């Protein structure tokens, strides 16, 4: 069974440009999460999808970040325009059900904004 | 979201048992405790989860006392490949947004 896959693994862009990160969850997992670790900081929650609906987006830092999950399958996280402080590693995770139970994380997408 | 408190780092040797304790004094009734492991350049990986008493799986044991204000992850007979960062997280059963703290960096030496 394929795990959570994220693309790209590393992206280098200039301040002001746009980047779109993609996450493919484990097949059949309705729950999809985005987390990120900015440099030197802890891993922080961004948002949670249940199928195509945003269940919780309380961790989204500002309106430069847009997450979508059309069709309830893969998800994209767009940063537009990117700022220097957006540099970090963006993790996606998925799970089968809500409540307790493990989250399956991808290997992350490293974003470097110059 | 409330965080947990755990040691910043620990050192051990191969074959030893490692116990990592986590404090969560203000744990709520709905909170469960979950431990994740993370290797460099990888995403966190689930180890074990519990609500109270003791839980054991093929890789670890989790001890949670009756007051649930702390928990201890026990790794039996660690190997070099267990060198990683270990995170203790508390989560509401109705809310899946996990809060990661700083974690405990475990270094296993030969």
């Amino acid at each position: 069974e394929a795990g959570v896959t994220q693309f790209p693994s590393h992206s280098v862009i200039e301040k002001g440009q746009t980047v779109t990160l993609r996450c493919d969850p484990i097949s059949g997992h309705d729950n999809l999460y985005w987390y990120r670790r900015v440099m030197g900081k802890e891993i922080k929650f961004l948002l949670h999808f249940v199928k195509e609906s945003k269940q919780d987006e309380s961790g989204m830092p500002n309106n430069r970040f847009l997450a979508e999950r059309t069709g309830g399958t893969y998800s994209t996280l767009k940063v537009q325009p990117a700022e220097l402080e957006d540099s970090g590693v963006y993790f996606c995770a998925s799970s089968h059900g809500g409540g307790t139970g493990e989250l399956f994380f991808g290997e992350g997408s490293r974003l470097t904004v110059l | 979201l409330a965080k947990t408190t755990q040691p910043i780092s620990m050192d051990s040797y191969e074959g030893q048992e490692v116990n990592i304790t986590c404090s969560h004094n203000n744990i709520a009734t709905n909170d469960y405790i979950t431990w994740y492991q993370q290797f460099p350049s990888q995403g966190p990986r689930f180890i074990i989860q519990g609500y109270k008493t003791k839980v054991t799986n093929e890789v670890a044991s989790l001890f949670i006392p009756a007051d649930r204000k702390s928990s201890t992850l026990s790794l039996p007979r660690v190997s070099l490949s267990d060198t990683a960062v270990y995170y203790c997280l508390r989560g509401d059963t109705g809310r899946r947004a996990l809060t990661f703290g700083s974690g405990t960096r475990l270094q296993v030496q030969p």
Side-chain angles (χ1 to χ4, degrees), chain A residues 5-86:
Chain A
T5 57
Q6 295 187 242
F7 181 84
S9 57
H10 192 188
S11 179
V12 181
I13 62 173
E14 294 187 349
K15 175 183 174 180
Q17 290 186 321
T18 298
V19 64
T20 299
L21 310 177
R22 172 172 170 144
C23 169
D24 285 80
I26 293 173
S27 178
H29 281 191
D30 288 338
N31 293 272
L32 186 149
Y33 311 80
W34 283 98
Y35 286 79
R36 77 169 180 175
R37 170 187 276 140
V38 294
M39 303 309 283
K41 299 291 182 62
E42 300 163 353
I43 299 173
K44 289 202 178 292
F45 167 80
L46 294 179
L47 86 159
H48 169 203
F49 282 100
V50 176
K51 296 184 179 180
E52 67 276 8
S53 299
K54 293 177 183 175
Q55 182 78 8
D56 180 356
E57 50 184 330
S58 61
M60 295 289 267
N62 52 61
N63 59 10
R64 295 185 294 103
F65 289 76
L66 175 64
E68 295 181 319
R69 193 183 182 194
T70 307
T73 54
Y74 71 91
S75 174
T76 58
L77 180 64
K78 179 190 290 187
V79 185
Q80 178 183 30
E83 298 290 343
L84 299 178
E85 63 265 25
D86 300 331

Side-chain angles (χ1 to χ4, degrees), chain A residues 31 33 35 37 42-45 48 55-56 58 91 95 97-108 110, chain B residues 1 3 32 34 36 38 41-46 49 85 87 92-103:
Chain A
N31 293 272
Y33 311 80
Y35 286 79
R37 170 187 276 140
E42 300 163 353
I43 299 173
K44 289 202 178 292
F45 167 80
H48 169 203
Q55 182 78 8
D56 180 356
S58 61
F91 293 104
S95 69
T100 61
E102 67 179 288
L103 300 189
F104 295 84
F105 281 82
E107 296 197 342
R110 179 174 295 277
Chain B
L1 296 174
K3 293 183 180 178
Y32 54 92
T34 310
Y36 280 79
Q38 186 178 27
S41 300
Q42 293 187 21
R45 186 177 72 172
F46 174 91
Q49 182 179 86
V85 179
Y87 295 97
D92 187 326
T93 53
R95 188 166 184 269
R96 296 304 304 281
L98 300 177
T99 300
F100 285 82
S102 300

